[in-house]
Amino acid sequence: MTAGTANAQRFREFKMPDVGEGLTEAEILKWYVQVGDTVTDGQVVCEVETAKAAVELPIPYDGVVHELRFGEGVTVDVGTVIISVDTDPGAGPVEAPAAGGAAPAAEAPDEEDAEPQGRQAVLVGYGAAPTSTKRRARKPQPGVPAQPAAATAGLQAELNGRSAPAPMVAPVAPAAPAAPVVPAASAAPAVSAGRPLAKPPVRKLAKDLGIDLATVAPTGPDGIITREDVHAAAAPAAAPAPAVPAEVPVPTAVVPAEPGIVDAAARERRVPVKGVRKATAQAMVASAFTAPHVTEFITVDVTRTMKLVQELKQDPDMAGLRVNPLLLVAKAFLVAIKRHPEVNAAWDEANQEIVYKDYVNLGIAAATPRGLIVPNIKDAGVKTLPQLATELGDLVATAREGKTSPAAMAGGTVTITNVGVFGVDTGTPILNPGESAILAFGAVKLQPWVHKGKVKARQVTTLALSFDHRLIDGELGSKLLADIAAVLERPKRLITWG
């Protein structure tokens, strides 16, 4: 067994998994371990944020942390190695191949035509090969010193997402006196003369920011462009012009700014769009420009419902449960869907079919520090009021802690958004992609209301229902909203209609 094979069996690499549904990248929020720490199979080693939620990742090996490939705050593609573990730390130092036992990559025969072996399938294309990429030696360019082959192989391995092999130290030949002096401006590595060197996540960042990598000055080792280089290249467009020193003459063609005028860019901040915010933006745009939205409104007297909320708080069967108006709004929504089951459907564009669902997964829009998420209560339509209260309380608590799993946000059919907690009367909510309807519950306010022929102070709220007009006609949507309001106006209908 060669030293390389033994090391590969000893050092196990853990790659960024797809923790959601077809996600392609995740940001490392926090490492719970450091190099040299002992880990066990199933131990959580880091927390990552995907486009849907924050998820803790367990390591599937026993051993000692040998290397952390990325720091906190770095976005990593799915399938990229993020940590390696020494599964046999008592075996002593790592064995190095004998000197001269491995030929430089430049001396390898034409192996670039051979089929790659041992590649692992990832979301798009194939993963990195287990060995460094072999390629023909570059022809030396006049006036530019050629890089050693080992350095080229290490640079290529680093770009492929793997640690670079140990460089082979060779004697340094003395410079010839007659050699021409190369200006400092052309002292960049030879590889930078062609395609700019950058890792895939950095290339994606540059594309998103509209930055041409060929114009970016690299600061990474061997001329690699880093994320910081890309951000620095994008910053001048937003940053204010530097102040001109007094001793430097100002060209007469420049018109000085009027006194009191401050550059707006100096008072602006730019934050990269990523994680939950990025996913929310994409989902809302896709929904708004795919499903034809119709929004209807109704104002309703909910005085009896608010009294019922207070009575339920004293009910022994609801002891220890979170009872609030949202709970009864959710129950009213479910009762109305039961009376009009055709609204609980989805549009299948690919197959040109309408999918009617005999279950209701009720989504609850929740504002979290990371952005808006919509976890849902599975099979909410068949749950009792105490069960619904339990699920609703757990859902909200988990969301506030940032521990909502991607599975908890998948498969929703309809959603409620409680804008009333912010003192807002109502809104025109946008559908969660793949769902048929969303109900906005506004603030409950004491207002003058005609009750039994007299104007009295009553507790009133406004409901707004947005629905997919491909699935729900105006008549059906109106009946659904009217039934929700009828239940909240006379909550005894929870019994007679439920």
Side-chain angles (χ1 to χ4, degrees):
M1 180 183 296
T2 64
T5 303
N7 290 338
Q9 293 179 352
R10 173 178 169 182
F11 294 94
R12 307 299 298 272
E13 296 179 333
F14 179 65
K15 300 179 179 179
M16 177 70 74
D18 179 3
V19 295
E21 298 177 346
L23 299 177
T24 59
E25 63 183 16
E27 178 187 354
I28 298 176
L29 294 180
K30 183 177 182 180
W31 282 109
Y32 296 121
V33 296
Q34 299 296 329
V35 174
D37 289 353
T38 300
V39 294
T40 58
D41 186 358
Q43 177 180 338
V44 174
V45 294
C46 69
E47 181 182 23
V48 301
E49 182 182 50
T50 70
K52 294 186 176 182
V55 181
E56 293 181 334
L57 299 183
I59 193 78
Y61 315 121
D62 293 331
V64 173
V65 177
H66 177 254
E67 181 182 13
L68 302 180
R69 296 290 180 89
F70 300 95
E72 295 176 354
V74 178
T75 299
V76 182
D77 290 344
V78 168
T80 303
V81 176
I82 60 174
I83 181 175
S84 64
V85 175
D86 184 354
T87 59
D88 190 11
V94 179
E95 296 182 9
E107 298 178 5
D110 297 342
E111 296 181 8
E112 62 179 354
D113 299 327
E115 290 293 328
Q117 300 295 327
R119 289 193 167 190
Q120 298 179 352
V122 291
L123 292 177
V124 180
Y126 294 89
T131 56
S132 297
T133 304
K134 308 291 185 179
R135 56 174 65 193
R136 299 177 189 270
R138 296 177 180 267
K139 293 183 178 180
Q141 299 180 2
V144 180
Q147 277 193 315
T152 304
L155 177 58
Q156 183 61 38
E158 181 68 22
L159 291 178
N160 286 343
R162 303 186 299 276
S163 60
M168 298 181 64
V169 180
V172 180
V181 178
V182 181
S186 61
V191 292
S192 64
R195 186 169 182 250
L197 297 175
K199 297 182 179 181
V202 178
R203 294 186 183 278
K204 182 177 184 299
L205 174 63
K207 181 179 179 182
D208 294 341
L209 297 178
I211 301 299
D212 184 1
L213 287 178
T215 64
V216 178
T219 61
D222 300 311
I224 296 177
I225 298 174
T226 65
R227 297 177 66 91
E228 291 72 18
D229 296 336
V230 175
H231 284 302
V244 180
E247 63 273 16
V248 178
V250 180
T252 57
V254 177
V255 179
E258 298 181 9
I261 301 299
V262 180
D263 187 1
R267 296 177 292 169
E268 297 175 348
R269 294 180 296 112
R270 291 180 177 264
V271 179
V273 179
K274 58 184 179 179
V276 175
R277 172 58 58 191
K278 182 177 180 180
T280 300
Q282 293 173 343
M284 293 299 96
V285 170
S287 176
F289 293 98
T290 300
H293 285 56
V294 173
T295 305
E296 295 186 339
F297 308 88
I298 191 168
T299 304
V300 57
D301 177 2
V302 294
T303 304
R304 292 186 178 93
T305 292
M306 299 304 290
K307 289 180 179 178
L308 179 57
V309 169
Q310 298 304 318
E311 293 173 3
L312 289 174
K313 289 182 178 180
Q314 308 302 322
D315 193 314
D317 292 335
M318 304 296 288
L321 299 178
R322 184 182 179 88
V323 179
N324 54 25
L326 179 61
L327 173 63
L328 294 186
V329 171
K331 192 63 177 177
F333 197 7
L334 294 170
V335 168
I337 291 175
K338 185 177 180 180
R339 286 168 58 85
H340 306 285
E342 310 87 41
V343 305
N344 194 44
W347 185 272
D348 187 344
E349 181 67 26
N351 296 316
Q352 286 296 292
E353 295 175 342
I354 296 176
V355 182
Y356 291 101
K357 302 180 179 181
D358 297 328
Y359 58 91
V360 181
N361 291 343
L362 179 62
I364 304 295
T368 72
R370 293 190 176 97
L372 176 68
I373 63 173
V374 189
N376 59 77
I377 300 173
K378 311 298 183 185
D379 290 315
V382 298
K383 296 187 183 298
T384 64
L385 194 63
Q387 291 172 337
L388 195 62
T390 301
E391 295 263 1
L392 188 58
D394 293 344
L395 179 148
V396 172
T398 303
R400 287 177 177 172
E401 295 172 0
K403 302 299 183 181
T404 304
S405 67
M409 293 183 283
T413 60
V414 294
T415 290
I416 296 177
T417 176
N418 185 9
V419 298
V421 295
F422 307 110
V424 176
D425 290 336
T426 191
T428 54
I430 298 178
L431 293 168
N432 204 28
E435 299 184 5
S436 61
I438 179 171
L439 178 70
F441 174 35
V444 177
K445 297 181 178 180
L446 200 63
Q447 296 183 11
W449 192 265
V450 177
H451 178 67
K452 295 181 180 180
K454 297 182 180 180
V455 177
K456 298 182 178 181
R458 305 285 288 180
Q459 290 177 295
V460 178
T461 190
T462 301
L463 305 174
L465 180 71
S466 293
F467 52 86
D468 187 342
H469 214 346
R470 297 174 300 179
L471 299 166
I472 302 174
D473 294 332
E475 178 186 7
L476 180 58
S478 299
K479 288 181 177 179
L480 177 68
L481 182 58
D483 280 359
I484 298 171
V487 172
L488 294 177
E489 185 176 15
R490 294 182 178 274
K492 69 179 182 180
R493 290 189 172 108
L494 289 172
I495 301 173
T496 59
W497 288 1

